[in-house]
Amino acid sequence: MLDDFLVRAGLAGLGLALAAGPLGCFVVWRRMAFFGDATAHAGILGVALSLAFSISIFLGVLGVALLMALLLSVLVARGHVMDTTLGVLSHGALALGLVAVSFLPTVRVDLASFLFGDVLAVSKMDLAVIWAGAVLVMALMYWRWSSMLTATLNPDLAMAGGIDPKREQFVLTVAMAVIVAVAIKVVGALLIAALLIIPAAAARPLVRTPEWMALVATLIGGLSTLAGLGLSLKVDTPTGPSMVVAALAVFTLSTVLGRQGRDS
Amino acid sequence: MQLLEARGLSVRLGGRRVLHKIDMSIAPGEIVTVIGPNGSGKSTLLRALIGAVSIEDGTVFRKRHLRIGYVPQRLGLEKAMPMTVRRFLGLPKRLSAAACEELLARVEGQGLADRQMSQLSGGQFQRVLLARALASEPEILILDEATQGLDQPAVAAFYQLIERLARDLNCAVLMVSHELHVVMRASDRVICLNGHVCCQGAPTVVSAAPEYRALFGDSAATLALYQHQHDHSHEDDRSRVPVGAAEH
């Protein structure tokens, strides 16, 4: 069954959606959208370094994304002007990555596949790595859920209840880096943040509790990856962007439905 | 045995010394109010006591495994986060529906369980925050200007509720407030703060202290007048008699 590239692509998308659902909710709640972008862009630098030193791309991207995410967390904690700092680091990392890739022999690099993903070329090994990463992120989310939720609502409230908000922030930072490393093959560095934010935003008008939002975001994410895959096969569009377009369609629908629900 | 104690506590925030050599403590069942002008370090003191800011000098002692119920100044709930009252009460530890109802009844907030937090009025919101703080059966309630945005009657009602809960649950209360009149009545002890402890003691003692007069000027004079009237009146509503004066 795994010999079919379509099955592998579908499973890769589903694995990513499972982890991106709950994590994406935190990205939305904590206003980390740009943070996610910056971490994902650093992934391109990770790709360049992995190829230059002939190490696993997954590990290279994970390492660089983790460094970027930790650097950002430290800057946030020190109260630096976030919007500007994120902009500098995000685009700086992307540009640095693109320049670094240009030094590599062209035969070895298909840059577009890392920028926009190449889910149809996912191998069995890639699939194993994607699911291992997804399961790790889901386990982190499940384990820390209540504490992270409390820390997100109000750090002092968490502190008084014996929860260290910095530790919860660190767990989220690690999860973000893992997602980037896992997703770069599926949707590419430029659209990873989209797969975190859009399903969560689409779920928001339909739910009443944080848990339902995570669940519905996961469903929407899964549906979107499969629909995007179908779309790309039918009309021969790029797969990663098609997945995001499908999510966008669900977002539009749920926003309209949510507004009608409120008016009536 | 004190629940919380600060000795020589100094805190620096962004290069500025906010708290300087604070000595204070709070015993089980005691109601202590911290008052002081804006920027006097009231919130920072509370945050230092719960461990949310790092200390430059001195020590903070907390009773081992002290159960703290904390009511923040504002929650800052993101619109992007859906949250029912019931779910909020169960943070960080899940509660049964019956336990939620019981907590809401304690703060006179029956029937709010299924509402979205974002749809509550200011007064309801503060009651729900208070109910959540009670969920851990706290030994001490810590409230940071919990009545911001409430009108005068609502403020008075909120502090009466706090006082009653504290007595019922035998729970200490440490609160920050600028509602001088209301707070002075409900407190066992008042700490007057302006970066350092200006004066502390029973409300009647503090309101007579020259440091307090110097700090609050006009409003202090109003308060003294107000208390003076009530100390000598016998027809007033009992609940409005200052705690300090009621013991005489």
Side-chain angles (χ1 to χ4, degrees), chain A residues 31 146 156 159 208 211, chain B residues 47 51 78 87 92 114 116:
Chain A
R31 303 190 174 190
S146 228
D156 290 348
M159 209 68 205
R208 292 176 51 80
E211 287 73 19
Chain B
R47 299 186 66 224
E78 274 285 329
R87 183 65 192 96
D114 290 321
Q116 283 286 308

Side-chain angles (χ1 to χ4, degrees), chain A residues 26 28-31 145-147 149-150 152-157 159-161 163 204 207-211 213, chain B residues 47 50-52 68 70 72 74-84 87-88 91-92 94 114-116 132:
Chain A
F26 277 104
V28 167
W29 295 333
R30 298 172 77 105
R31 303 190 174 190
W145 183 261
S146 228
S147 304
L149 206 53
T150 310
T152 299
L153 268 175
N154 186 302
D156 290 348
L157 206 73
M159 209 68 205
I163 297 161
R204 174 64 189 94
V207 295
R208 292 176 51 80
T209 64
E211 287 73 19
M213 183 156 154
Chain B
R47 299 186 66 224
I50 62 170
I68 300 174
Y70 181 72
R74 276 178 308 138
L75 194 60
L77 188 72
E78 274 285 329
K79 263 180 85 177
M81 191 194 286
M83 184 65 77
T84 57
R87 183 65 192 96
F88 178 73
L91 280 175
R94 290 270 195 177
D114 290 321
R115 299 271 287 276
Q116 283 286 308
R132 197 212 64 93

Side-chain angles (χ1 to χ4, degrees), chain B residues 214-233:
Chain B
L215 212 50
F216 288 99
D218 284 349
S219 52
T222 323
L223 178 69
L225 190 67
Y226 181 87
Q227 284 215 325
H228 182 84
Q229 286 171 352
H230 282 263
D231 285 351
H232 294 273
S233 164

